[in-house]
Amino acid sequence: MQTLYDKLWKNHVVHDGPGDTALLYIDRHLVHEVTSPQAFESLRIAGRKPWRLDSILAVADHNVPTTERANGISDPISRLQVETLDRNCEELGITEFKMNDLRQGIVHVIGPEQGATLPGMTVVCGDSHTSTHGAFACLAFGIGTSEVEHVLATQCLSIKKALEMQILVDGTLGHGVTAKDVALAIIGKIGTAGGTGYAIEFSGSTICALSMEGRMTLCNMAIEAGARAGMIAVDDITIDYISGRPLAPKGDSWEKAVTYWRTLKSDEGVEFNQIVKLDAAEIKPQVTWGTSPEMVTTVDGRVPDPLKITDSVKRNDMQRALKYMGLAPNMLISEIYLDKIFIGSCTNARIEDLRAAAEVVKDRHIAKNIKLAMVVPGSGLVKLQAEEEGLDKVFLNAGFEWREPGCSMCLAMNDDYLSPGERCASTSNRNFEGRQGPAGRTHLVSPAMAAAAAVAGHFVDVRNIY
Amino acid sequence: MEKFLNCKGLVVPLDRANVDTDAIIPKQFLKSINRSGFGRYLFDEWRYLDYGEPGMEVAQRKPNPDFVLNQVRYQGARILLTRANFGCGSSREHAPWALQDYGFQVIIAPSFADIFFNNTFKIGLLPIVLSENIVDQMFREVNLNVGYYLVVNLEDQTVVTPSGETHIFEVDSFRKKNLLNGLDEIELTLQYAEKIKAFEDKKRIEQPWLFT
């Protein structure tokens, strides 16, 4: 009997060894501008060429502006990095969606959107959120720049097999509770190191009921639970999503592929190294209060009190986090007022996310204390679809800004950032110190919760407002 | 990759758990297309009181006197002692680059995040996992003793304290060999080029949709 992870692993072993590693074949290599230039340079210095060009898809997403793009990128250092990607791709013949291509967007949004991510693949990218693609029953994980070069040169990676964890979520999610809340609830339960050394498979009736967008949100956050890879078995929802995508197989090849894809699930009764169970009915909308995604509570909860913590390392971390976040112990989450709202990122910038947020802000307006509320679609195609559905008007009428696609204020490498002390309700994945700007304060929430906070000016329970 | 030479190094204690790679090297420095020069921005937001931008001269910065790396007694440290889950978050290899460029050869912690742990080996920086108890004891000793140093021997897989206490650490045999010999992993993999080609040819027939 095998787990899904075992099957994916076995199907990609080129060579067993050395030691307890195996040489795994990589089917899809996604490339962005930040973690690739040094890899291309080293490849060139060593006189090597990419092993298989058609396995690579490149896009610039981290540095791109989300405002008017006609004049290019104003920051010369960012511009050079994006131009370096363009040049490397042109010289080597790598497919790249350039900044003004309609298909441009966040690498983890465009891969699945194009059908570049297909079930059963090994998918890597010099980006930790590559775990996102595991939603398609892929073995997908983030790598460093040395490994980017290794995959370019050899189409393989030497990897040690991970332990296996099953996260079983059963039951029906309450109204207004989303995949993001499930992800944060899991991280709250097992901690940001809970999945270290593991590959996580998410399963159970709650997961089966999630859309592909929701599954991508969940797998995206596997890395925030410490696991390099998260994955979900193939079912009809997976296959329906892929059908008709530009790079999806067609005709006979499609039929053959679907037959294979349907085998991509863990065998009934197979054992995992660890099993974690959650009851969907008990999950409430989540809000992080600290500087690590595990510092999370429910919207009806309170900021915790460090004095109640006995472990001194944990207590110190909590005190430091509260000081950084400018929060007092025991205050209600609903008493936290916001300055900015960010709806975007590889976690929550797909069409379903934008619909959920739009539903909340429809015929409402952002509160007076909100200095900036922005929606940054995950790709040009998501943006186009949202506009066809009239979502852009809903957001604009509510006082939001409607931007061009990219990573934007998730990590603030472009011009979208928090100023020192500013507080943001963000649909992104990391609330680390300085992540959204120096001394900026990030609270991670779902798109619906971010939208509700925009309207109220402070956190409110989205379940009570629509 | 450079060979890992055994290390006798001054220890600096960073007493925080879950230190993420955004803290190790903030994003504004990731815009560089070079592999070197990140050491002066290591822990930038903790190390300086002013906001760091790429290209700033260290002499013009305002160091944070409270940050441990700025204390006189820890100047020239080669070993970073820290807490659990070090290197969590972003996969940026710029984090190990910055640590190495600053002068660190070894990081000791009770646990590391997976991607960071993997990245360090690729550049010849050695992450050592020791138990919470031993790490706790080292924190106490380094705080009490100015000039506290450790001797790390990769061949023997030992860390020896100034009082002569020896702690054994685990390291994967393949990674150990690569570090000790400074081997080029790509070259090692390319020894299997025929096998990779054969694998690929078989797959191209069985799953042609993967090759479009």
Side-chain angles (χ1 to χ4, degrees):
Chain A
M1 285 204 290
Q2 297 179 84
T3 61
L4 169 59
Y5 178 67
D6 291 334
K7 292 179 186 182
L8 294 170
W9 180 270
K10 219 174 248 180
N11 285 336
H12 291 89
V13 173
V14 172
H15 175 76
D16 251 317
D20 48 7
T21 64
L23 199 59
L24 282 199
Y25 187 83
I26 304 302
D27 296 310
R28 179 66 69 202
H29 189 184
L30 302 169
V31 169
H32 67 70
E33 80 276 22
V34 181
T35 55
S36 67
Q38 299 87 350
F40 282 118
E41 190 194 17
S42 296
L43 193 75
R44 198 171 288 125
I45 290 169
R48 294 177 177 131
K49 289 255 186 281
W51 181 280
R52 182 157 81 80
L53 288 174
D54 68 9
S55 71
I56 311 170
L57 177 62
V59 71
D61 54 6
H62 286 60
N63 279 280
V64 297
T66 59
T67 49
E68 181 52 52
R69 286 180 175 174
N71 298 323
I73 301 171
S74 58
D75 175 359
I77 310 175
S78 283
R79 189 168 64 236
L80 177 63
Q81 194 165 58
V82 172
E83 286 170 356
T84 302
L85 179 69
D86 293 349
R87 202 178 56 245
N88 282 322
C89 290
E90 273 163 29
E91 275 178 18
L92 295 166
I94 292 168
T95 304
E96 184 200 0
F97 295 163
K98 291 199 174 169
M99 194 168 74
N100 292 317
D101 190 313
L102 181 64
R103 299 167 297 176
Q104 183 269 343
I106 306 170
V107 68
H108 307 307
V109 174
I110 70 163
E113 190 172 76
Q114 291 297 318
T117 303
L118 295 172
M121 279 181 164
T122 41
V123 180
V124 298
C125 176
D127 193 288
S128 61
H129 291 112
T130 309
S131 59
T132 309
H133 308 265
F136 293 84
C138 291
L139 176 53
F141 52 91
I143 57 178
T145 299
S146 293
E147 289 183 316
V148 170
E149 184 191 350
H150 198 115
V151 176
L152 285 172
T154 70
Q155 209 60 38
C156 290
L157 278 178
S158 274
I159 313 196
K160 193 178 162 185
K161 202 172 176 202
L163 295 169
E164 297 169 68
M165 181 188 289
Q166 182 187 38
I167 297 187
L168 205 54
V169 193
D170 275 308
T172 308
L173 289 173
H175 171 71
V177 182
T178 67
K180 180 63 163 289
D181 302 301
V182 177
L184 288 169
I186 289 168
I187 295 162
K189 188 178 169 102
I190 70 172
T192 51
T196 303
Y198 286 89
I200 294 177
E201 181 177 347
F202 299 100
S203 49
S205 61
T206 315
I207 310 301
C208 292
L210 289 176
S211 66
M212 285 318 295
E213 285 84 354
R215 294 177 191 186
M216 283 188 259
T217 300
L218 192 55
C219 289
N220 173 278
M221 298 281 287
I223 185 65
E224 262 44 80
R228 226 173 152 180
M231 64 197 74
I232 295 172
V234 168
D235 63 9
D236 289 342
I237 293 174
T238 324
I239 289 165
D240 288 348
Y241 179 96
I242 299 164
S243 175
R245 302 268 160 194
L247 293 172
K250 311 272 185 303
D252 285 352
S253 187
W254 169 258
E255 296 304 327
K256 204 176 156 196
V258 169
T259 306
Y260 169 63
W261 292 344
R262 290 208 185 271
T263 68
L264 297 172
K265 55 185 177 189
S266 289
D267 295 331
E268 197 79 41
V270 69
E271 288 190 10
F272 289 81
N273 301 98
Q274 201 183 333
I275 297 176
V276 175
K277 291 183 181 177
L278 278 88
D279 179 356
E282 286 177 7
I283 300 173
K284 297 175 181 176
Q286 308 278 309
V287 180
T288 66
W289 51 264
T291 53
S292 163
E294 70 183 24
M295 294 174 166
V296 64
T297 188
T298 54
V299 64
D300 56 359
R302 289 174 183 273
V303 173
D305 187 345
L307 296 178
K308 290 179 184 157
I309 306 293
T310 48
D311 180 324
S312 66
V313 173
K314 272 212 173 102
R315 186 172 58 238
N316 289 344
D317 283 345
M318 192 183 270
Q319 279 167 337
R320 189 182 289 124
L322 291 185
K323 187 172 176 227
Y324 181 88
M325 292 297 291
L327 297 174
N330 302 312
M331 72 185 282
L332 285 166
I333 293 295
S334 58
E335 289 170 350
I336 299 173
Y337 280 76
L338 286 316
D339 301 302
K340 287 183 174 169
I341 308 292
F342 173 61
I343 295 175
S345 87
C346 59
T347 311
N348 280 129
R350 298 181 181 82
I351 190 69
E352 178 183 284
D353 302 315
L354 305 192
R355 286 181 192 142
E359 197 178 331
V360 174
V361 302
K362 195 172 181 2
D363 302 324
R364 295 189 167 103
H365 202 273
I366 61 171
K368 283 204 179 86
N369 58 304
I370 301 296
K371 295 181 206 167
L372 172 71
M374 61 196 288
V375 182
V376 182
S379 72
L381 290 170
V382 169
K383 181 169 184 256
L384 181 68
Q385 187 178 351
E387 287 170 355
E388 282 168 1
E389 295 179 16
L391 304 186
D392 57 328
K393 299 284 183 307
V394 173
F395 285 116
L396 288 165
N397 290 339
F400 276 79
E401 293 191 10
W402 180 248
R403 299 286 191 93
E404 298 297 324
C407 300
S408 179
M409 208 161 72
C410 172
L411 88 166
M413 269 187 86
N414 68 353
D415 289 334
D416 309 331
Y417 52 83
L418 299 180
S419 295
E422 280 183 342
R423 190 180 295 286
C424 181
S426 177
T427 67
S428 56
N429 40 57
R430 289 185 176 136
N431 50 354
F432 299 154
E433 288 184 24
R435 172 80 179 181
Q436 294 195 293
R441 293 160 171 164
T442 303
H443 297 272
L444 304 176
V445 287
S446 72
M449 280 287 291
V455 171
H458 57 94
F459 286 117
V460 286
D461 192 336
V462 69
R463 294 174 298 179
N464 299 335
I465 73 160
Y466 84 106
Chain B
M1 184 176 75
E2 282 181 29
K3 284 183 192 181
F4 180 87
L5 302 171
N6 291 337
C7 163
K8 179 181 176 180
L10 184 70
V11 179
V12 58
L14 182 63
D15 196 358
R16 296 184 183 211
N18 300 315
V19 172
D20 59 77
T21 53
D22 273 84
I24 297 171
I25 183 83
K27 77 295 220 124
Q28 64 270 32
F29 305 109
L30 270 49
K31 295 175 185 176
S32 168
I33 57 170
N34 301 315
R35 200 183 273 259
S36 56
F38 293 102
R40 58 183 168 145
Y41 311 121
L42 178 69
F43 298 119
D44 201 87
E45 285 185 23
W46 294 343
R47 203 162 134 205
Y48 298 102
L49 295 170
D50 56 340
Y51 178 65
E53 292 279 9
M56 281 169 89
E57 286 305 320
V58 175
Q60 284 156 13
R61 304 289 304 274
K62 286 185 210 146
N64 175 3
D66 295 333
F67 187 58
V68 72
L69 248 57
N70 291 329
Q71 293 169 18
V72 176
R73 61 183 281 197
Y74 298 121
Q75 297 313 301
R78 291 286 169 268
I79 298 175
L80 181 68
L81 178 69
T82 186
R83 297 288 184 182
N85 199 29
F86 186 80
C88 60
S90 157
S91 64
R92 58 189 71 168
E93 198 168 304
H94 310 66
W97 292 341
L99 288 158
Q100 191 178 53
D101 191 47
Y102 178 85
F104 288 118
Q105 292 175 272
V106 173
I107 323 273
I108 297 175
S111 63
F112 292 89
D114 286 343
I115 302 178
F116 175 85
F117 188 71
N118 202 49
N119 285 344
T120 55
F121 281 102
K122 306 289 176 190
I123 64 162
L125 178 67
L126 180 64
I128 294 179
V129 177
L130 293 175
S131 73
E132 295 268 3
N133 282 343
I134 296 172
V135 169
D136 265 346
Q137 183 198 324
M138 286 178 171
F139 267 100
R140 281 195 298 275
E141 289 176 2
V142 73
N143 287 330
L144 289 171
N145 301 290
V146 173
Y148 183 84
Y149 66 91
L150 292 168
V151 178
V152 174
N153 185 313
L154 176 58
E155 188 97 61
D156 300 342
Q157 298 177 214
T158 56
V159 180
V160 183
T161 68
S163 61
E165 218 176 328
T166 301
H167 304 289
I168 309 275
F169 63 90
E170 296 292 323
V171 59
D172 174 76
S173 57
F174 174 57
R175 285 169 162 165
K176 178 177 171 179
K177 192 176 147 200
N178 289 352
L179 278 182
L180 287 172
N181 299 298
L183 298 178
D184 176 354
E185 273 196 47
I186 293 178
E187 207 52 57
L188 291 179
T189 298
L190 287 174
Q191 289 174 4
Y192 300 102
E194 288 307 316
K195 244 180 144 170
I196 301 169
K197 280 201 190 91
F199 180 95
E200 202 168 66
D201 289 344
K202 188 163 169 271
K203 215 161 185 191
R204 205 181 283 274
I205 294 165
E206 289 173 0
Q207 299 181 6
W209 59 86
L210 294 176
F211 295 84
T212 48

